[in-house]
């Protein structure tokens, strides 16, 4: 699931040639210059704008992870995206807003990657391990944790973080409930509670792990230890039943834990 694009662009600066056609640099042969149809020009401008925002987010994400917020300048980000510094303020207003949006986008990419990795699991244990190993293999969760801390000083940026967290929980709950239904497992918790618990633990364990200099393998081991079993395999003869939004199952003798 690709993350939703959040509009944070400020108004262009009047008279600034860098904003003459929506902000992005223009190459020879750009469709905006040769198109006579106003609707075509609008579509081309929007496409170019989305492309430039994506390039800026890509460059910012890499630099913020390497150097941190204070160590990364707007000029550095612009150079990484082959853009003008003024385009950053055009699309994101401030470096802090770009930091938060880049962190939120990375977090949603990680969530999608974990969901895709877990689809190959055949047992509850394999499912949990796939989630954990995918999350701990990246520094995007720690990056997102820095964005969480930043919103304490910049409450105007909090809504984007809040929406990202709610999307993590909603998508995690959906993916987990789908796996439960697909394999006939018995969830030990409500899927919503399982999703929220997973991400809360992931953020906590990884922030602590980065602070203590732990390896991805050590963080994965700690997460698996704290998470424990999330579900059991369905025993023969047991009946699946749904309770509210949760997925549970009546136990029967001979049920196996995974």
């Amino acid at each position: 699931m690709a993350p939703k694009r959040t509009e944070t662009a400020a108004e262009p600066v009047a008279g600034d040639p860098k904003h003459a056609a929506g902000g992005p640099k223009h190459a020879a042969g750009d469709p905006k210059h040769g198109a006579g149809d106003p609707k075509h020009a609008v579509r081309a401008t929007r496409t170019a704008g989305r492309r430039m925002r994506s390039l800026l987010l890509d460059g910012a994400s890499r630099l913020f992870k390497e150097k941190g917020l204070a160590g990364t300048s707007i000029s550095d980000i612009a150079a990484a995206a082959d853009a003008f510094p003024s385009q950053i303020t055009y699309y994101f207003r401030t470096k802090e807003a770009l930091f938060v949006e880049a962190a939120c986008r990375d977090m949603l990419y990680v969530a999608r990657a974990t969901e895709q990795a877990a689809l190959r699991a055949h047992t509850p244990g394999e499912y949990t391990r796939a989630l954990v190993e995918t999350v701990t293999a990246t520094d995007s969760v720690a990056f997102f944790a820095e964005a969480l801390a930043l919103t304490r000083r910049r409450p105007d940026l909090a809504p984007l973080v809040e929406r990202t967290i709610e999307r993590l929980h909603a998508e995690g709950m959906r993916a987990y409930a789908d796996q439960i239904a697909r394999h006939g497992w018995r969830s030990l918790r409500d899927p919503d509670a399982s999703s929220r618990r997973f991400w809360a633990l992931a953020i906590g364990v990884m922030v602590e792990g980065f602070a203590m200099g732990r390896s991805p393998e050590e963080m994965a081991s700690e997460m698996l230890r704290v998470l424990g079993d999330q579900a059991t395999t369905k025993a023969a003869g047991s009946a699946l039943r749904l309770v509210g939004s949760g997925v549970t199952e009546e136990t029967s003798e001979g049920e196996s834990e995974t």
Side-chain angles (χ1 to χ4, degrees):
M1 60 201 169
K4 294 180 180 177
R5 181 170 63 88
T6 304
E7 294 293 340
T8 56
E11 291 296 323
V13 179
D16 187 343
K18 295 165 188 172
H19 296 290
K25 290 183 176 179
H26 304 297
D30 190 307
K32 287 187 287 299
H33 296 290
D37 181 0
K39 291 182 180 179
H40 177 86
V42 169
R43 288 195 298 270
T45 300
R46 288 175 178 170
T47 298
R50 285 193 295 269
R51 182 169 61 249
M52 178 52 65
R53 290 185 93 261
S54 181
L55 289 172
L56 289 168
L57 285 164
D58 289 343
S61 175
R62 178 177 57 80
L63 290 170
F64 284 141
K65 289 176 182 179
E66 290 176 359
K67 302 179 180 181
L69 177 61
T72 302
S73 69
I74 286 180
S75 296
D76 292 337
I77 298 167
D82 190 26
F84 293 113
S86 58
Q87 288 175 283
I88 294 174
T89 55
Y90 177 85
Y91 288 111
F92 302 98
R93 292 195 178 99
T94 66
K95 184 174 71 169
E96 291 75 16
L98 174 56
F99 183 95
V100 170
E101 185 164 344
C104 289
R105 187 184 73 152
D106 273 22
M107 192 67 172
L108 293 176
Y109 283 163
V110 169
R112 181 173 63 183
T114 59
E115 180 179 335
Q116 291 173 342
L119 286 175
R120 297 188 289 270
H122 298 288
T123 68
E126 289 177 356
Y127 177 81
T128 300
R129 181 171 292 276
L131 293 176
V132 168
E133 290 182 347
T134 304
V135 166
T136 54
T138 176
D139 54 1
S140 294
V141 177
F143 182 26
F144 182 67
E146 291 184 62
L148 292 176
L150 179 60
T151 58
R152 182 181 179 186
R153 303 188 302 276
R154 289 288 306 273
D156 57 304
L157 301 177
L160 177 58
V161 171
E162 292 170 0
R163 289 194 297 272
T164 300
I165 291 173
E166 285 308 307
R167 186 168 174 186
L168 283 175
H169 294 159
E171 294 293 342
M173 178 185 71
R174 175 196 55 76
Y176 182 58
D178 285 349
Q179 286 291 87
I180 291 293
R182 175 187 174 193
H183 294 287
W185 299 336
R186 181 175 70 88
S187 178
L188 302 181
R189 297 176 187 84
D190 178 271
D192 180 61
S194 292
S195 175
R196 290 176 182 273
R197 181 170 178 266
F198 176 83
W199 286 114
L201 283 173
I203 292 171
V205 167
M206 294 193 70
V207 168
E208 179 182 308
F210 274 95
M212 302 293 290
R214 292 173 182 158
S215 67
E217 293 76 18
E218 289 173 322
M219 288 187 284
S221 178
E222 178 65 7
M223 265 200 79
L224 288 169
R225 183 188 70 81
V226 177
L227 275 172
D229 293 330
Q230 296 195 90
T232 64
T233 55
K234 181 179 178 182
S238 59
L240 183 70
R241 62 187 177 87
L242 301 178
V243 179
S245 61
V247 179
T248 62
E249 180 188 310
E250 295 178 348
T251 61
S252 65
E253 190 175 350
E255 183 177 282
S256 61
E257 294 282 341
T258 303

